[in-house]
Amino acid sequence: MIARRGRPPAYDREAALMAIAEAFRLRGYAAASLDEIARAAGMNRPSLFAAFGNKKAMYLAALEDYRRRMERAVSPALEREGPLGDALTGFFDAAVGFYGEGAAPGCLVLCTATAEAPADEEIAAALADTIRGIEAQLTARIAREAADGEVAGLAQLMVSVLIGIAVQARAGVDETALKRFARAGVAAALRQS
Amino acid sequence: MIARRGRPPAYDREAALMAIAEAFRLRGYAAASLDEIARAAGMNRPSLFAAFGNKKAMYLAALEDYRRRMERAVSPALEREGPLGDALTGFFDAAVGFYGEGAAPGCLVLCTATAEAPADEEIAAALADTIRGIEAQLTARIAREAADGEVAGLAQLMVSVLIGIAVQARAGVDETALKRFARAGVAAALRQS
DNA sequence: ATCATTTTGTACCATCTTGCATAAAATTCA
DNA sequence: TGAATTTTATGCAAGATGGTACAAAATGAT
């Protein structure tokens, strides 16, 4: 433990970042005020600024953090050995669970960054990177089992299923329906591959 | 033509509503200011309020109008007689074209209402209704050709492809890639049905 | 021509928002 | 104990925002 001088921070950076992400997820980027965010994080505004920079920097940090947490939540199921269909089903079940956590359902990136993307290059880049990252991970996993010519198409289809889950969770579709839907999608896509 | 008393309006209601929808699509609901909206519509704020009500009423009217225009743009291709695959491909091509129009790509409903849905019941209802409407239309068309047991799953998969197109268009994916992706999705989903 | 009616346009207000300045508080080091 | 350092907390300032009041303008009716 390195002894730092000065008054010690009263907040835990990881917990604060998660609370910030939750605040943005509940209200969207533009509608979330710094007062709300500060209250959610248990900090006051000057501390927020000192720790994370201005509102956009907070949002970009929240997007990045959320993406990492999402990956930690869904990767184990996807990377598990065994039939591709089981891995994909496990992946989507984990995603449904992850998107259902917290005060508001849906994906922070896919449901709030979309609103701001055309007006802000960095947010658009974060959105595009997140989708590309998901597609890359799905592609790598699918390539272990499927025929070469079908990998890209299958991966893109699975990306759409994930996006569909994120958006429909936001629209109020309950978790069991989303899981059933994911299973049907996987079954339809893998039929005779 | 009914002769109305008083000074005649200087705006065309349909054109104004379309401009309002475009303004919201470019910036999202919360970030779009009434000044921007008024400028886009070629009206000033008092006229805007008189014509469409407050900001949320404007947004709900824009969502409804956008949904109608979307339906007009994609229905003909979907309802055309012939192989289901061709109908679906035509539907998605039309959707890609529709989502690519205007100043910002992506779907007004699927890319901006998602941000506000948890904080506003009416917007959430508009989002859910739009998705349900699309699903119903796809279900009806698919039921004309596919086996009973597969209709629902196929329709849900196609809903996801559409949502995936909307979001990925917003993320900057170009139209040819989106159309290719839609074709691959249709092919994968219809294989051996 | 005058009045009633409806829309337009300017200006305005109250509120909220972002971001920061500044002083108090809590800690380490000498 | 006192100086240095870092965080917290109160509060403030500049600007943007949603919404409206009110007078001018443009039309139909009498």
Side-chain angles (χ1 to χ4, degrees):
Chain A
M1 154 138 45
I2 17 170
R4 302 195 37 214
R5 300 194 27 166
R7 179 170 175 169
Y11 62 89
D12 173 57
R13 191 180 169 89
E14 266 190 75
L17 201 48
M18 193 164 148
I20 292 171
E22 274 304 290
F24 279 126
R25 192 159 74 114
L26 182 61
R27 301 262 286 142
Y29 171 69
S33 78
L34 291 177
D35 271 338
E36 284 173 10
I37 296 167
R39 213 177 320 128
M43 309 169 62
N44 36 32
R45 286 220 304 282
S47 299
L48 261 187
F49 274 79
F52 301 104
N54 66 12
K55 187 181 180 184
K56 202 175 103 180
M58 289 177 211
Y59 184 61
L60 292 172
L63 288 179
E64 172 67 18
D65 177 64
Y66 191 82
R67 205 183 60 72
R68 264 205 307 273
R69 295 209 319 272
M70 159 92 182
E71 191 174 322
R72 269 203 296 275
V74 300
S75 278
L78 182 65
E79 300 301 336
R80 193 166 39 216
E81 294 300 324
L84 179 58
D86 292 356
L88 290 172
T89 304
F91 167 79
F92 287 124
D93 283 356
V96 169
F98 184 73
Y99 288 157
E101 283 171 12
C107 175
L108 171 67
V109 184
L110 298 173
C111 295
T112 74
T114 45
E116 317 292 333
D120 188 299
E121 280 184 27
E122 291 180 89
I123 295 175
L127 171 63
D129 287 351
T130 298
I131 295 175
R132 271 198 293 268
I134 293 167
E135 183 179 342
Q137 208 181 351
L138 280 165
T139 301
R141 180 62 181 88
I142 292 170
R144 301 219 303 260
E145 240 91 355
D148 272 16
E150 297 186 325
V151 172
L154 251 178
Q156 286 177 328
L157 200 57
M158 293 300 104
V159 168
S160 272
V161 170
L162 184 70
I163 296 175
I165 286 172
V167 169
Q168 294 187 69
R170 196 74 162 177
V173 177
D174 66 281
E175 297 196 17
T176 62
L178 291 174
K179 287 183 180 173
R180 194 169 49 230
F181 154 67
R183 257 162 251 270
V186 170
L190 288 186
R191 181 186 310 135
Q192 191 79 335
S193 82
Chain B
M1 155 133 50
I2 17 170
R4 301 196 37 214
R5 300 197 23 169
R7 180 170 174 168
Y11 62 90
D12 173 56
R13 191 182 170 88
E14 266 190 75
L17 201 48
M18 195 165 148
I20 293 170
E22 275 304 290
F24 278 127
R25 193 160 74 113
L26 182 61
R27 303 260 289 141
Y29 171 69
S33 78
L34 291 177
D35 271 338
E36 284 172 8
I37 295 167
R39 213 175 322 127
M43 309 168 62
N44 35 32
R45 287 221 301 282
S47 299
L48 260 188
F49 275 79
F52 301 104
N54 66 11
K55 188 181 181 185
K56 201 175 102 178
M58 288 176 211
Y59 184 61
L60 291 173
L63 289 179
E64 173 66 18
D65 177 63
Y66 191 82
R67 205 183 60 70
R68 263 206 308 272
R69 295 209 317 273
M70 159 93 182
E71 192 173 321
R72 268 203 297 274
V74 301
S75 278
L78 181 65
E79 300 300 337
R80 193 166 40 216
E81 292 302 322
L84 179 58
D86 293 356
L88 290 172
T89 304
F91 167 79
F92 287 124
D93 283 357
V96 168
F98 184 73
Y99 288 157
E101 284 171 11
C107 175
L108 171 67
V109 184
L110 298 173
C111 295
T112 74
T114 45
E116 316 293 333
D120 189 300
E121 280 185 27
E122 290 180 90
I123 296 176
L127 171 63
D129 286 351
T130 298
I131 296 175
R132 271 197 293 268
I134 293 167
E135 185 179 340
Q137 209 182 350
L138 281 165
T139 300
R141 179 62 181 88
I142 291 170
R144 303 219 299 260
E145 240 92 354
D148 272 17
E150 296 185 327
V151 172
L154 251 177
Q156 286 176 329
L157 200 56
M158 293 301 103
V159 168
S160 273
V161 171
L162 183 71
I163 296 175
I165 286 172
V167 169
Q168 294 187 68
R170 195 74 162 177
V173 177
D174 66 281
E175 297 196 17
T176 62
L178 290 174
K179 287 182 182 175
R180 196 169 48 232
F181 154 67
R183 257 162 250 271
V186 170
L190 288 186
R191 182 185 309 137
Q192 191 77 336
S193 83

